[in-house]
């Protein structure tokens, strides 16, 4: 820090000039006091203060004399401001001029006066405080300004005692000035660090010589014990007074940098803090620890460190930069996760700090939320890894508490609470779910304590996820992400156990209490409230069954979104093994003795209830397997081992049940094996080793199954597996073709193969031969095992005289196949040919329409959805021929029909009409009136489901027509208003309001033009729903419609500004 020899003369000149300037300023001040009568009152007040203090005595040290005069003038200013404020009486408020600013207090400083006070305070800190600090205490003068560097060579501290006395005097006066609000803010915002350094040195500075345990006498230290105690008390008061983040930042600076040699060199010319003395480092560490464990201390420490790192209090780009500095956030998290020496134990420290860390996750201030949440998440994960027991008790437990509060088996006395009592508020539940997403999803390699702590809450999270799927809620995605994260990160056995529990098949998953349920909250979230008791037993049973059905559907949907490799397939196999156990055990039987003991039907239920519970589980497993089969995709089984497990489970069921397993199911399982062996997959030696597990089961099936075709296929598959595909009998080739959907030969076979996504030319030659008959052997066998459905006259006509090529005849035959996969594959192949505008297929379009419409009656979704797709494609190609027939079908009276169509079939026809409408687009205008007439008639049907479906179709049609609606909008509006006000079914009223939502959403900004005659009526209708409707879902639809309308009107009234540049070329 000493100047070089070259700058010595210049520095001496500057020092002399500074001393001369200080002396001239002191002389000018004294002259002003003697000659100016206006300063007489200030002169009197200064003399009074000088007589009260001991540090203002004259001395030859010019800098100190200058400092004492500035301190005296500051004390005079403070006393004058106090007197002015005490004598001020504010005038009564003038309500007539409310917009005028209130009068200022007479002690208010102007901008220029504040600037003068800041200069005075800076001079006091530079001349009277910093020069008397010990080396390493506070920021050195040489690292501040050029003036501070010059002062370092002008001020001579003198002896230790005199320097300490001067430091004590300066700090005492500054503390007195800081008592005034205005002067205190000017002082503490700029010079808090210097004042803290001075007080720390006075209160806790060294009082012993180095290496000596005896205290120095008072004459050498310069302070009495009473003065040191006063300094400690003043320091404590100052620490509790100031803004805590600012205090933390100043204490960190005062703590100094690392010791010499423990840090790297300077980077980019930045000055590192000099190492502070050991006593000061210990003191600052102790003070920081005290700040941390006090209420609100965690947030103060985080703010102090991050704001000091560049994230200013106003945020902005600096806040973004600090958020990106993850190392800084992780350092703060490590500080929070480390127990200070002042704490009695880890348990005590976690009890004080963990609630504050959880509060950081809930901060809504967007400027600092990202930084605070990153620190909090890192701290939680670090604590969970290092001290799992304490973290689970004080961090993870309180974090999950809103989800665990209303679990089954919890100590709750809900019987005395009225229905509707809120047990978990919306802000609690929302904060809990969002915090779980922030903490758990951030850990890519979770510890056992994280997974274990989340497992008890999975039932509540899953129930909440199912609830949000029935409503519009922002909690849907977070709940689903949490469940998927757990299933992906935990062990496979644990994941299967959890899935089994979520399906209510057992396991360790607990759901919310039966007397509690979720309700829609006002801000788009949810609450947990006490459920209203249902006295009707049938209604309670219906609610229970429908709720469980919905949960199973959402569980299957959750599995479809799961990215964990093979989890869906493993769970499917797990359920199949459960079915195998059911088939082998036969289930518990109700013995005749028990039944004979029940003398009346009323006593039958308690007698049978112990036996019904296992059967309920069996039925639930069977239902779950059926749903997994219906919703399964190509990715259900991700490797051949899972396929082998599936086939093995099916074969084992067939062996155990002795033929109870249907031939159709068994044919499907063995067809999978035949397809694999026939070239659908590239097999390796390890795959054949896995397939050999099926050999004993196939041998057993070939012996015990009653169907000869199944026996033959099982024996042939066993031979093909044992020979590694070297010998492939005809039955195996036919089964492979049936499974892969290959019928016929030549060009048409290529088209059908394209429908299933495989080119016939790519198949290995010699493995699979062409079928010799119209149907494969496996197909014939399965047809014999499953009785065909009765055929209508139209079907008989289609079967008796199939036109076209043999391949097309085969497709028409298969369109009435009792085997569901074969029938659906044939319908999709016909649809593909229509889409490709095959001339041979287009010649028989009337026959194809009849085939598709008759398949709409099928109850399996795989079949009737394929038929709907075919009808839509056919109507796109020939709208004039197809749409009139569909409209007659939807009205319930098709031409030549003996009886009206069932409601389910009419709804499927409506879906086909809707898809045709979307395909035609603007060309649908010519059929507008007939379509709207049909849907309006459907809205008056006696069946409530068809009424709701017709209204939904009407809304989609209006969304497509847009400007082409015309005057029909009056009829539509009148119909909707009548239904909303008079229909007794809530489902229909929901659909009617949803039509308004679709109408506004489809028209968007054009709504004010297209709906100008009925917009007011629609608005009044929506307000009527909000005020009078009791169905929550209908009210929610009305709110969505009003939000759409509000957005349209805002964009119309306040269009966004368009910034355009126009370039005009002057002639």
């Amino acid at each position: 820090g000493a100047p070089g020899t070259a700058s010595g003369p210049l520095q001496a000149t500057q020092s002399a000039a500074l001393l001369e300037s200080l002396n001239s300023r002191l002389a000018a001040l004294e002259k002003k006091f003697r000659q100016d009568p206006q300063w007489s009152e200030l002169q009197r007040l200064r003399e009074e203060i000088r007589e009260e203090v001991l540090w203002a005595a004259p001395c030859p040290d010019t800098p100190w004399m200058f400092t004492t005069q500035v301190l005296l003038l500051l004390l005079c200013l403070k006393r004058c401001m106090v007197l002015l404020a005490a004598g001020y009486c504010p005038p009564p408020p003038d309500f007539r001029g409310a917009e005028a600013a209130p009068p200022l207090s007479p002690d208010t400083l102007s901008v220029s006066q504040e600037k003068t006070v800041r200069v005075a305070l800076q001079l006091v800190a530079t001349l009277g405080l910093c020069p008397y600090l010990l080396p390493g205490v506070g920021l050195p003068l040489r690292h501040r300004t050029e003036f501070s560097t010059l002062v370092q060579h002008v001020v001579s501290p003198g002896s230790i005692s005199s320097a300490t006395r001067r430091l004590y005097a300066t700090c005492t006066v500054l503390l007195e000035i800081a008592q005034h609000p205005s002067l205190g803010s000017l002082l503490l915002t700029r010079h808090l660090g210097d004042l803290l350094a001075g007080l720390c040195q006075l209160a806790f500075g060294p009082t012993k010589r180095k290496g000596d345990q005896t205290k120095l006498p008072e004459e050498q230290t310069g302070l009495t014990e009473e003065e040191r105690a006063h300094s400690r008390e003043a320091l404590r008061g100052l620490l509790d007074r100031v803004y805590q983040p600012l205090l933390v930042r100043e204490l960190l600076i005062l703590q100094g940098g690392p010791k010499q040699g423990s840090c790297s060199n300077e980077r980019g010319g930045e000055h590192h803090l000099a190492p502070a003395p050991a006593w000061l480092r210990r003191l600052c560490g102790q003070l920081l620890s005290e700040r941390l464990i006090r209420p609100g201390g965690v947030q103060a420490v985080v703010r102090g460190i991050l704001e000091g790192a560049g994230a200013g209090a106003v945020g902005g780009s600096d806040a973004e930069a600090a958020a990106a500095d993850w190392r800084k956030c992780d350092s703060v998290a490590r500080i929070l996760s480390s127990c200070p020496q002042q704490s009695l134990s880890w348990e005590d420290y976690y009890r004080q700090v963990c609630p504050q860390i959880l509060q950081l996750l809930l901060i809504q201030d967007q400027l600092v939320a990202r930084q605070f949440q990153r620190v909090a998440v890192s701290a939680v994960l670090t604590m969970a890894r290092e001290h799992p027991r304490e973290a689970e008790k004080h961090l993870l437990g309180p974090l999950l508490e809103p989800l665990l509060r209303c679990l089954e088996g919890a100590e709750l006395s809900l019987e005395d609470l009225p229905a509707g009592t809120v047990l978990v508020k919306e802000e609690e539940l929302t904060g809990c779910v969002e915090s779980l997403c922030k903490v758990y999803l951030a850990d890519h390699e979770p510890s056992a304590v994280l997974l274990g702590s989340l497992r008890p809450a999975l039932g509540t999270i899953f129930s909440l996820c199912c609830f949000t799927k029935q409503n519009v809620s922002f909690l849907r995605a977070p709940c689903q992400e949490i469940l998927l994260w757990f299933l992906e990160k935990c062990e496979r056995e644990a994941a299967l156990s959890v899935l089994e529990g979520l399906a209510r098949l057992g396991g360790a998953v607990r759901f919310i209490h039966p007397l509690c349920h979720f309700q829609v909250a006002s801000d788009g979230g949810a609450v947990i409230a006490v459920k209203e008791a249902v006295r009707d037993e049938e209604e309670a049973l219906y609610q229970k069954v429908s709720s469980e059905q919905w949960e199973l559907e959402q569980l299957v949907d959750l599995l479809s979104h799961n990215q964990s490799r093979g989890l869906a397939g493993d769970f499917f196999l797990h359920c199949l093994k459960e079915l195998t156990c059911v088939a082998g055990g036969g289930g518990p039987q109700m013995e005749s003795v028990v039944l004979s003991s029940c003398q009346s039907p009323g006593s039958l239920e308690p007698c049978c209830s112990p036996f019904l519970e296992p059967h309920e589980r069996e039925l639930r497993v069977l239902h779950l397997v059926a749903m997994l089969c219906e919703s399964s995709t190509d990715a259900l089984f991700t490797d051949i081992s899972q396929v082998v497990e599936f086939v093995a489970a099916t074969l084992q069921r067939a062996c155990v049940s002795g033929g109870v397993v249907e031939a159709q199911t068994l044919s499907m399982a063995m067809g999978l094996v035949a397809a694999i062996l026939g070239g659908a997959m590239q097999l390796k030696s390890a795959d054949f080793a896995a397939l050999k597990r099926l050999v004993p089961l196939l041998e057993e099936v070939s012996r015990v199954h009653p169907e000869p075709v199944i026996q033959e296929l099982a024996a042939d598959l066993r031979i093909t597996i044992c020979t590694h595909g070297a010998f492939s009998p005809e039955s195996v080739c036919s089964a492979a073709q049936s499974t892969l959907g290959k019928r016929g030969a030549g060009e048409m076979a290529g088209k059908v193969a394209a429908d299933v996504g495989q080119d016939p030319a790519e198949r290995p030659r010699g493995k699979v031969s062409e079928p010799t008959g119209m149907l494969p052997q496996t197909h014939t066998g399965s047809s014999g095992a499953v009785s065909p459905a009765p055929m209508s006259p139209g079907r008989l006509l289609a079967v008796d005289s199939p036109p076209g090529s043999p391949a097309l005849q085969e497709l028409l035959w298969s369109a009435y196949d009792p085997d569901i996969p074969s029938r659906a594959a044939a319908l999709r192949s016909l649809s593909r040919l229509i889409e490709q505008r095959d001339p041979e297929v287009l010649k028989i379009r009337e026959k194809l329409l009849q085939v598709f419409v008759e398949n709409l009656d099928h109850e399996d979704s795989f079949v009737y959805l394929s038929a709907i797709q075919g009808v839509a494609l056919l109507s796109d190609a020939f709208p004039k021929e197809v749409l009139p027939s569909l409209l007659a079908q939807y009205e319930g009276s098709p031409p030549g029909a003996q009886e009206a169509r069932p409601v389910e079939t009419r709804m499927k026809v409506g879906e086909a009409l809707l898809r045709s409408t979307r395909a035609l687009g603007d060309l649908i205008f010519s059929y507008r009136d007939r379509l709207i007439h049909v849907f309006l008639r459907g809205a008056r049907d006696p069946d409530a489901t068809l009424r709701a479906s017709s209204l939904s179709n009407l809304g989609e049609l209006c969304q497509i027509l847009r400007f082409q609606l015309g005057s029909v909008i009056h009829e539509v509006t009148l119909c909707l208003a009548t239904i909303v006000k008079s229909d007794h079914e809530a489902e229909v009223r929901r659909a009617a309001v949803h039509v308004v939502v679709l109408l506004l959403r489809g028209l968007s900004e054009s709504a004010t033009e297209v709906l100008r005659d009925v917009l007011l009526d629609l608005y009044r209708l929506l307000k009527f729903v909000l005020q009078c409707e009791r169905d929550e879902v209908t009210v929610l639809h009305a709110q969505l419609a009003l939000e759409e309308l509000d957005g349209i009107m805002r964009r119309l009234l306040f269009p966004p500004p368009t910034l355009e540049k126009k370039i005009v070329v002057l002639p």
Side-chain angles (χ1 to χ4, degrees), residues 1015-1027:
L1015 196 58
L1016 181 59
D1017 297 334
L1018 291 177
Y1019 175 75
R1020 289 173 177 169
L1021 178 63
L1022 296 174
K1023 297 297 286 186
F1024 170 80
V1025 173
L1026 288 181
Q1027 295 173 1

Side-chain angles (χ1 to χ4, degrees), residues 511-759:
F511 292 86
I512 63 172
H513 198 279
L515 298 180
C516 302
H517 70 146
F518 291 100
Q519 286 184 350
V520 178
S522 57
D523 293 333
V527 298
I528 301 180
V530 178
K531 186 192 300 185
E532 184 178 359
V534 181
R535 298 183 179 179
D536 188 357
E537 295 183 0
E538 294 184 357
E539 178 66 22
L541 179 61
Y542 171 75
Q543 291 182 3
K544 179 178 181 296
V545 172
S546 60
S547 174
E548 292 179 356
Q549 168 73 14
W550 178 252
E551 288 179 354
L552 287 180
E553 292 177 3
Q554 299 313 309
L555 181 62
V556 174
D557 181 68
L558 184 70
L559 283 173
S560 66
H561 290 88
N562 183 258
Q563 300 298 324
S564 180
R565 181 173 176 82
L567 179 60
D570 288 346
F571 184 58
F572 181 68
L573 296 173
H574 180 76
C575 295
L576 281 181
K577 292 177 181 177
E578 289 279 341
L579 286 182
T580 305
C581 296
V582 171
Q589 303 293 331
M590 296 185 185
E591 298 183 4
S592 57
V593 178
V594 177
L595 293 177
S596 61
S597 63
C598 303
Q599 302 297 329
S600 63
S603 60
L604 183 62
E605 182 177 354
C607 293
C608 298
S609 57
F611 299 94
L612 289 176
E613 185 174 350
H615 285 296
E616 182 180 355
R617 171 184 169 82
E618 297 166 8
L619 292 175
R620 189 176 287 116
V621 172
L622 186 61
H623 189 196
L624 181 58
V625 170
M627 294 180 66
L628 287 171
C629 290
E630 289 180 0
S631 63
S632 63
T633 62
D634 296 337
L636 179 62
F637 295 139
T638 57
D639 53 22
I640 194 171
S641 62
Q642 289 184 328
V643 178
V644 171
E645 286 287 343
F646 164 66
V647 176
T650 307
L651 295 177
Q652 189 173 3
R653 286 174 54 209
C655 297
V656 171
S657 60
V660 175
V661 180
E662 292 185 359
Q664 179 181 350
T665 305
L666 205 54
S667 298
M668 177 190 67
M670 291 192 293
L672 281 175
V673 181
I676 293 173
L677 294 171
M681 297 179 62
Q682 194 69 29
L683 297 178
K684 302 177 183 178
S685 58
D687 298 331
F688 278 105
L691 288 170
K692 285 185 178 179
R693 294 178 49 197
L694 304 177
V695 172
L697 295 173
L698 290 170
E699 184 178 2
E700 182 70 17
V701 170
S702 66
R703 289 190 300 102
V704 302
H705 201 276
E707 290 289 336
V709 177
I710 298 297
Q711 293 179 4
E712 180 185 357
L713 180 59
D716 292 343
L717 282 175
R718 185 173 64 87
I719 295 172
T720 306
I721 293 174
C722 292
T723 60
H724 285 208
F727 176 74
S728 181
E730 183 69 23
S731 61
V732 176
C733 300
S734 300
Q737 278 188 323
S738 177
T739 304
L740 294 175
K742 292 195 168 186
R743 310 269 206 271
E747 182 182 0
M748 186 60 67
K751 294 178 180 178
V752 178
D755 185 63
V756 296
Q758 188 172 6
D759 189 357

Side-chain angles (χ1 to χ4, degrees), residues 367-502:
L367 297 176
V368 296
R370 288 183 58 195
Q371 310 158 46
F372 282 21
Q373 289 169 9
R374 179 171 294 181
V375 170
V377 169
S378 183
V380 171
L381 298 180
T382 304
M383 290 178 171
R385 282 193 300 267
E386 296 180 355
H387 299 278
R389 187 179 64 83
E390 290 82 2
E392 186 172 7
K393 179 179 179 181
H394 298 289
L395 264 180
L396 304 179
L399 180 62
L400 294 162
E401 191 273 334
L403 296 174
L404 305 177
R405 189 181 305 170
C406 300
L407 286 180
E408 290 178 305
E411 297 180 0
L412 296 173
S413 56
L414 303 177
E415 292 79 6
D416 301 333
L417 296 177
T421 303
V422 177
L423 302 177
V424 181
K425 299 180 180 178
E426 180 184 11
E427 53 270 18
E428 289 183 286
L429 196 58
T430 301
C432 176
V433 173
E434 292 180 347
S435 299
L436 286 178
C437 271
K438 296 168 187 174
V439 173
Y440 283 79
L441 271 62
D443 196 355
H444 300 291
E445 296 181 359
S447 59
V449 65
L450 279 180
L451 295 172
S453 63
L454 183 61
R455 187 162 183 172
L458 290 177
T460 307
I461 297 174
F462 179 68
S463 299
L464 179 58
C465 183
C466 296
F467 172 76
T468 56
K469 292 291 184 70
Q470 297 174 322
N471 305 278
V472 179
S473 177
F474 58 86
L475 294 177
R476 180 187 305 171
C479 291
Q480 183 169 310
E481 289 176 1
I482 294 171
L483 293 170
L484 292 176
W485 176 88
F486 182 87
L487 294 176
E488 181 182 356
K489 299 300 181 182
C490 69
E491 297 291 336
R492 184 53 55 92
E493 292 299 326
L496 294 177
S497 176
V498 168
L499 288 174
E500 187 178 12
L502 295 179

